[in-house]
Amino acid sequence: SGNTANDGGGVFNYYHVDMYDTSSIRDNTAVTGGGVCNTGSSNTADFCMHDNSSITGNTATTHYGGGVYTCAGSFSMENNASITGNSAPDGSGGGVYHSGTYFEMNGGSITGNTAGLACGGGISVNSANSVELKGKVTITGNTAEKGKCSNYYQDSDHVINAANLTEGSLIGIEINYSRRPSEGNPTVFTNEGC
């Protein structure tokens, strides 16, 4: 905690990182990826949050991803992992900015994060790959100060696959229609009762 860097205030990941138990990345600052900068290639950079791990109170000062910035590779959360209280005061993706290969939440929560300049207080996605939401997922209570897509912002031609969410999931999703898939509208698959 309390670190400062250009990219990845807490962790700069080029290969593989797993967070377990109650491990925490907190109160770090970077230009991009206040808590974590996940980069490399689509086959190497892999960042996974398990159990009750958390990324909280981090700041991306002028760019993207207050909590996590993924520009290559994959990012995943499961169980009770949480991303809370992070900010990107002059950018997008207060909690998570994802332009990588793969993004999956199999449980976990992204709450109370803030994007100051543009959009996606909780999550901002700019990737042509699908996003997988499974289990009991919470993406609420985030803020985009310009009023654009506070919880989940998508600016890409891809699918949000939420077919395996369980009861009690809470998600706010808004779609930017300035970029549409080649046929029809962006697609969100969900099951009933969520």
Side-chain angles (χ1 to χ4, degrees):
S1 66
N3 302 294
T4 301
N6 190 48
D7 298 309
V11 173
F12 182 89
N13 176 44
Y14 197 82
Y15 293 105
H16 185 91
V17 172
D18 284 292
M19 293 180 69
Y20 289 103
D21 300 321
T22 58
S23 57
S24 178
I25 297 171
R26 61 184 309 124
D27 302 328
N28 301 289
T29 302
V31 173
T32 301
V36 175
C37 182
N38 194 36
T39 186
S41 74
S42 60
N43 296 321
T44 60
D46 184 25
F47 194 97
C48 306
M49 296 178 69
H50 310 273
D51 306 323
N52 293 297
S53 58
S54 63
I55 296 175
T56 183
N58 302 285
T59 302
T61 55
T62 54
H63 286 123
Y64 308 114
V68 177
Y69 173 75
T70 296
C71 64
S74 63
F75 177 74
S76 62
M77 299 173 67
E78 63 179 29
N79 306 121
N80 295 312
S82 62
I83 297 177
T84 60
N86 303 284
S87 65
D90 291 317
S92 300
V96 177
Y97 182 91
H98 180 76
S99 61
T101 306
Y102 184 72
F103 181 16
E104 177 182 286
M105 288 183 73
N106 189 1
S109 62
I110 298 177
T111 59
N113 303 285
T114 303
L117 180 63
C119 48
I123 304 171
S124 183
V125 177
N126 186 18
S127 170
N129 301 291
S130 65
V131 172
E132 303 284 333
L133 303 178
K134 306 175 182 178
K136 187 176 180 182
V137 169
T138 301
I139 307 171
T140 59
N142 301 286
T143 304
E145 292 183 4
K146 297 295 183 181
K148 194 170 186 179
C149 303
S150 293
N151 291 298
Y152 184 112
Y153 175 79
Q154 173 183 321
D155 191 17
S156 298
D157 307 340
H158 73 229
V159 171
I160 302 168
N161 185 353
N164 294 308
L165 288 173
T166 59
E167 187 172 350
S169 291
L170 299 170
I171 304 169
I173 297 176
E174 299 169 67
I175 307 296
N176 177 11
Y177 284 96
S178 65
R179 291 180 59 193
R180 294 174 180 261
S182 56
E183 297 179 11
N185 295 327
T187 304
V188 180
F189 293 115
T190 63
N191 58 354
E192 294 182 354
C194 292

